[in-house]
Amino acid sequence: MDISHLHFLVAEGDPVQRRSLADMLGGLGASRITEVQDGMAALRCFEDSFTPPLDLAIIDLDLPGMDGVDLLRILGGNQTRVPVIVTGGQGRDIMFSIETLAAAFGLELLGTIAWPLTEQKLQALLENYAAPAPPVRTAGPSFTFAEVGEGLQKGQFEPFYQPKIELATGQVKGLETFARWRHPKYGVVGPGSFIDALEQNNRVDFLDWTMIELSVKGCRTLQDKGLPMPVSINLAPQTLAHPDFMEQIKACVERHHVLPDYITFEMPESSVLTNDAGFLERMVRLRMLGYGLAIDDYGTGRSNLQLLARIPFSELKIDRSFVDGASKKRPLSTVLSTCLGLARSLDRQSVAVGVETKADWDFLQGLGCTYAQGYHIAAPMDNNAFPGWLADWRLFF
């Protein structure tokens, strides 16, 4: 890796170790290195006025004055985007906790190194560095509740499909549906522009039933094309809680001649972990009838494992925050492995969401994850695009 263009900060209180670290960076090709001996001096280097701006910082925990932990906390609060490597003389357990702490602060941590440092250890962490992507303007149009309702009534919403791949075989085993609004003025619009209006008026069920109807219909269309493909549909808890839900979903699958086995409902972890008898009964009945039930965004809430074991879910969908970069970041890989182990111990299938790179894919295969989804495989696509994509995918598997 060429690091000659990067500006490094070395924050180390011990002058001998500071010089040694700077020499190692120089030996690896670094040409711009700023050395500081305490936390306050390091903090000043992160200011916007510092020229040239930093690309990567190496911070020792035992800095005089403001120590490394204080510095990491402040950098996190300032939302710094500069990647960090942490050094220290502490044991493996402390250094592991530092990795977890840095992630909690919201920092991009390339890793930790316990003293004594070696050039090989340092180079291995520098390989994790990736130049920051330029800021992307993601803000789209926003709509009122009345405008969203009108779009739903006019049939402008449709499901887009993202494939779910079996990691052991590479075979496509299902599709998750995502709501998209094909707006006459703005083109294809994602939920960030319309979901707030529905939630603020407590009518997410309007969208849910549109997506259920169209997703089940799409499932039937694919079957008629010789592509029997299960679909997963996101479901708000208030939609499932409606007294007529079971009757309405039964009528929907019968109308389109789709077996319940081809339909999985996905609900966030925070909504399914409940002691509400009526809600639990509906989940049990769904499973008894053959529908799948996936716990989505697993790991982002505060799971009660006793409650989790009682939920009749068929899939555990692990949140993307534990998947992206797990192959290079030990805290993430530990959490990911724990989630996968939990799914296996409960005899459930596991789905890793947010698989963005081949490294993520290979790492998940090694951990024994069941399924994977993400942009490394495919972005969500409309119903008409899926058969062509599937034909291309099958050329490789």
Side-chain angles (χ1 to χ4, degrees):
M1 175 184 175
D2 181 13
I3 62 172
S4 60
H5 62 290
L6 300 180
H7 182 191
F8 288 86
L9 171 69
V10 174
E12 166 60 60
D14 185 286
V16 175
Q17 293 184 153
R18 185 169 66 249
R19 187 66 258 161
S20 173
L21 185 48
D23 288 343
M24 288 182 197
L25 287 171
L28 292 171
S31 59
R32 290 190 294 175
I33 304 170
T34 296
E35 301 178 40
V36 296
Q37 63 183 9
D38 60 64
M40 288 302 299
L43 183 59
R44 287 193 292 270
C45 293
F46 284 91
E47 296 175 353
D48 293 339
S49 58
F50 190 77
T51 304
L54 299 175
D55 294 301
L56 198 152
I58 302 177
I59 299 172
D60 192 75
L61 291 176
D62 295 320
L63 292 173
M66 177 192 297
D67 67 16
V69 175
D70 285 335
L71 179 58
L72 293 175
R73 184 183 64 254
I74 294 172
L75 294 177
N78 292 342
Q79 299 181 331
T80 182
R81 299 179 63 198
V82 177
V84 174
I85 292 173
V86 174
T87 63
Q90 289 75 12
R92 288 174 57 89
D93 55 339
I94 299 297
M95 298 304 282
F96 179 80
S97 296
I98 290 297
E99 294 188 27
T100 306
L101 185 62
F105 288 151
L107 297 172
E108 181 182 351
L109 183 73
L110 301 187
T112 61
I113 310 178
W115 287 98
L117 270 67
T118 65
E119 193 170 295
Q120 290 73 23
K121 290 180 182 179
L122 183 59
Q123 184 175 20
L125 292 189
L126 292 178
E127 292 294 335
N128 295 337
Y129 175 82
V136 178
R137 185 179 181 272
T138 57
S142 59
F143 301 95
T144 66
F145 178 63
E147 289 171 329
V148 177
E150 182 180 0
L152 288 167
Q153 289 178 347
K154 290 183 176 180
Q156 296 171 350
F157 283 72
E158 63 183 89
F160 272 41
Y161 300 92
Q162 186 174 51
K164 181 172 68 178
I165 308 297
E166 186 175 51
L167 281 157
T169 65
Q171 295 182 7
V172 182
K173 292 296 185 178
L175 302 169
E176 181 179 354
T177 63
F178 294 88
R180 296 292 185 266
W181 184 358
R182 202 174 286 277
H183 195 278
K185 178 179 178 181
Y186 296 103
V188 177
V189 177
S193 295
F194 55 77
I195 196 67
D196 284 349
L198 293 169
E199 290 179 341
Q200 290 166 8
N201 288 272
N202 198 31
R203 294 319 310 243
V204 177
D205 60 319
F206 285 179
L207 177 64
D208 280 357
W209 278 112
T210 296
M211 293 301 296
I212 290 171
E213 180 71 25
L214 294 176
S215 298
V216 175
K217 180 181 178 181
C219 183
R220 176 72 264 165
T221 299
L222 289 173
Q223 291 185 21
D224 291 342
K225 293 179 179 179
L227 300 173
M229 198 65 58
V231 297
S232 298
I233 307 168
N234 289 279
L235 187 66
Q238 57 265 39
T239 305
L240 177 61
H242 193 280
D244 297 329
F245 177 83
M246 299 304 300
E247 290 76 10
Q248 290 179 9
I249 191 61
K250 179 175 182 291
C252 179
V253 296
E254 289 180 349
R255 184 163 53 250
H256 296 290
H257 307 288
V258 173
L259 295 174
D261 310 59
Y262 281 84
I263 307 297
T264 292
F265 293 107
E266 298 192 5
M267 288 183 290
E269 173 191 5
S270 57
S271 68
V272 299
L273 300 180
T274 176
N275 282 313
D276 181 84
F279 197 82
L280 289 169
E281 179 185 347
R282 287 183 178 85
M283 288 192 288
V284 169
R285 289 194 178 278
L286 283 174
R287 295 291 291 122
M288 289 175 62
L289 291 169
Y291 297 96
L293 180 64
I295 296 180
D296 202 7
D297 303 327
Y298 181 74
T300 58
R302 297 181 178 179
S303 295
N304 181 317
L305 294 182
Q306 186 178 31
L307 282 177
L308 182 67
R310 296 176 181 177
I311 301 300
F313 67 94
S314 53
E315 294 180 5
L316 191 67
K317 302 199 71 173
I318 301 166
D319 188 72
R320 67 181 62 249
S321 61
F322 300 120
V323 175
D324 184 23
S327 61
K328 297 181 177 180
K329 299 178 182 179
R330 188 171 58 182
L332 293 183
S333 66
T334 300
V335 174
L336 180 58
S337 299
T338 300
C339 293
L340 295 175
L342 175 63
R344 283 193 294 270
S345 67
L346 295 175
D347 197 24
R348 307 295 203 271
Q349 296 173 333
S350 53
V351 185
V353 177
V355 179
E356 307 295 334
T357 65
K358 187 177 186 302
D360 292 338
W361 171 282
D362 293 341
F363 189 65
L364 288 163
Q365 279 188 317
L367 292 178
C369 184
T370 314
Y371 301 121
Q373 278 181 242
Y375 278 73
H376 175 66
I377 300 163
M381 66 194 81
D382 64 26
N383 189 291
N384 294 327
F386 174 68
W389 176 89
L390 181 62
D392 291 340
W393 179 265
R394 286 175 171 172
L395 291 175
F396 299 96
F397 290 96

